[in-house]
Amino acid sequence: MLLVSSRAGAAPGGALAPEEMLDASQSRAFRAWMVRIVDQQIAAGPSNRWVHRDCAGLVRYAVHETLREHDAAWRRATGISAPAPPPLQLSDHQRALRNRWQRADGSRAAYVGALELVQENTTLVSRGIEQAQPGDLLFFDQGYDQHLMIWAGRYVAYHTGYADARDNGLRAVAPQELLKWKDSRWHPVPDNPNFLGVFRLRFLAR
């Protein structure tokens, strides 16, 4: 069973600079935009801007687009129009985080898989979902594979990692429905050894 520490992200040289951290107000706006972008993917299907279509790819895409400038050209390209969340005012250092995921070797890159995404870029919040905030990640370890879901408040969103002409691989499931799944490995509860908990992007205010 994979172990993830309560300070996932404590890699040598991997600490975020103070100017990269979002304050409480920015974090609230970030969460609202991230959920809005995920909502759009569920409602309209995967954007052509989303390249790596799997569970970690959905997280990277949502974070990348959330940290971009949401100007008129961006809205046309993404199909996201009013009503929209409040403006997300970020510095250049903060916007650059969209292409600067921490890797296990201490470097930064635009791509990380599910395991590095959680271990090097998040902090454990809880083993249950009661403390989850929109934009937090649910992390499952099935031994042979790891899987991420995004907590969107009313539902959890994820990509199955498989898609074809009939199925784009995107799913939105209410938490109460998730708890009814016969395969208990996917239940987001503390007594499920396959559920490692709720994790928060470490550049967000706690």
Side-chain angles (χ1 to χ4, degrees):
M1 179 61 63
L2 176 71
L3 296 178
V4 178
S5 75
S6 61
R7 285 196 69 239
L16 289 169
E19 61 268 23
E20 293 178 303
M21 296 295 297
L22 275 61
D23 63 24
S25 177
Q26 290 172 318
S27 295
R28 285 192 296 272
F30 175 93
R31 292 178 182 283
W33 273 104
M34 184 168 173
V35 170
R36 180 71 179 85
I37 288 163
V38 171
D39 281 343
Q40 178 75 0
Q41 300 309 294
I42 297 296
S47 167
N48 291 332
R49 300 159 71 96
W50 175 12
V51 179
H52 302 107
R53 294 185 185 174
D54 56 18
C55 66
L58 176 59
V59 176
R60 292 194 309 273
Y61 172 79
V63 170
H64 186 277
E65 295 302 313
T66 297
L67 292 174
R68 287 177 65 101
E69 187 76 42
H70 302 143
D71 56 16
W74 179 88
R75 292 175 188 243
R76 287 194 300 271
T78 59
I80 294 178
S81 57
L88 179 55
Q89 305 291 342
L90 299 174
S91 69
D92 290 342
H93 290 291
Q94 291 167 327
R95 292 202 185 279
L97 288 169
R98 68 183 185 272
N99 292 317
R100 289 177 56 78
W101 294 99
Q102 181 69 34
R103 302 184 69 180
D105 64 4
S107 65
R108 299 277 191 102
Y111 177 91
V112 286
L115 183 57
E116 275 188 317
L117 197 157
V118 170
Q119 285 189 324
E120 309 300 332
N121 296 276
T122 70
T123 301
L124 177 64
V125 174
S126 171
R127 284 298 313 282
I129 61 174
E130 64 282 346
Q131 295 184 47
Q133 296 185 47
D136 286 347
L137 309 178
L138 279 60
F139 187 47
F140 295 85
D141 175 23
Q142 305 299 1
Y144 54 87
D145 199 9
Q146 290 78 45
H147 191 67
L148 288 170
M149 298 182 182
I150 299 173
W151 179 256
R154 296 174 290 106
Y155 64 89
V156 291
Y158 64 95
H159 193 281
T160 63
Y162 303 95
D164 57 31
R166 296 170 297 175
D167 182 355
N168 63 25
L170 282 167
R171 301 288 188 271
V173 182
Q176 54 268 39
E177 292 300 317
L178 197 61
L179 290 169
K180 294 177 183 177
W181 283 9
K182 291 182 179 180
D183 189 346
S184 61
R185 296 177 305 162
W186 298 104
H187 292 179
V189 292
D191 60 358
N192 174 14
N194 298 103
F195 176 59
L196 298 194
V198 174
F199 291 80
R200 185 160 299 159
L201 294 165
R202 62 189 173 106
F203 57 75
L204 295 177
R206 297 296 172 259

